[in-house]
Amino acid sequence: MRERITETAKYFFICTVLINAAMYICGMAFAPEQRFGYELLVYPIIYGFLACIPVFVMFTSKELTIKQTIIREAVQLILIIAIIEVIVFGGQIAGAEFIGARIAVGLAVVAIFFVAALIRYKLDSKTARQMTDQLKAFQESVEME
């Protein structure tokens, strides 16, 4: 359970930062004249939390095959896109005035998902390398005794 919470928290913070960047880019592209108050600062936190729900729910400590991992990641991505689209656009049915914004939000979610996965991979690789180095050092110290 602790590992699940740690992984979800890591994903939350990565997503929140990336969501801020995406909101800035999309905002400058679709409504550069619009100005907001401080209440806008809470939205990336809410979106980051919502993006973590599928990740938290679908987390498993069981070792997955590559195919299972790809399927799980695809389902998570679809759920995240659906959640964010519903929250951002509410019950509004796709109309001509929203189609560009919906596509931009969908693409932003996909980009954030892949960048977050890349960052998690890099962090996990670094941790694995450190653990391997520590294990080698330990084995060498045991062999010397």
Side-chain angles (χ1 to χ4, degrees), residues 7-142:
E7 286 300 313
T8 304
K10 187 188 319 182
Y11 188 75
F12 168 79
F13 288 114
I14 292 168
C15 282
T16 302
V17 169
L18 294 173
I19 288 167
N20 269 327
M23 286 178 72
Y24 172 76
I25 293 167
C26 289
M28 292 304 291
F30 289 100
E33 71 286 342
Q34 188 132 17
R35 298 293 175 243
F36 299 98
Y38 290 112
E39 67 277 355
L40 182 69
L41 297 174
V42 79
Y43 287 114
I45 296 168
I46 293 169
Y47 296 146
F49 173 75
L50 293 173
C52 287
I53 292 172
V55 174
F56 185 77
V57 171
M58 296 182 72
F59 180 84
T60 180
S61 57
K62 183 183 115 181
E63 191 70 30
L64 300 175
T65 65
I66 292 175
K67 183 179 179 181
Q68 290 171 328
T69 302
I70 290 170
I71 290 170
R72 185 185 73 175
E73 295 286 325
V75 170
Q76 286 177 347
L77 177 58
I78 291 166
L79 289 173
I80 291 169
I81 290 171
I83 290 169
I84 299 300
E85 290 267 338
V86 166
I87 297 301
V88 170
F89 296 103
Q92 298 167 343
I93 304 298
E97 69 275 8
F98 294 113
I99 209 72
R102 280 187 178 269
I103 291 170
V105 169
L107 291 174
V109 169
V110 171
I112 289 168
F113 185 83
F114 283 111
V115 171
L118 180 65
I119 291 170
R120 284 185 322 191
Y121 171 78
K122 290 290 188 183
L123 291 173
D124 291 345
S125 293
K126 181 180 176 185
T127 302
R129 240 185 343 271
Q130 288 173 341
M131 290 174 67
T132 302
D133 292 343
Q134 290 172 348
L135 182 58
K136 284 180 183 178
F138 175 73
Q139 287 174 336
E140 290 172 3
S141 70
V142 170

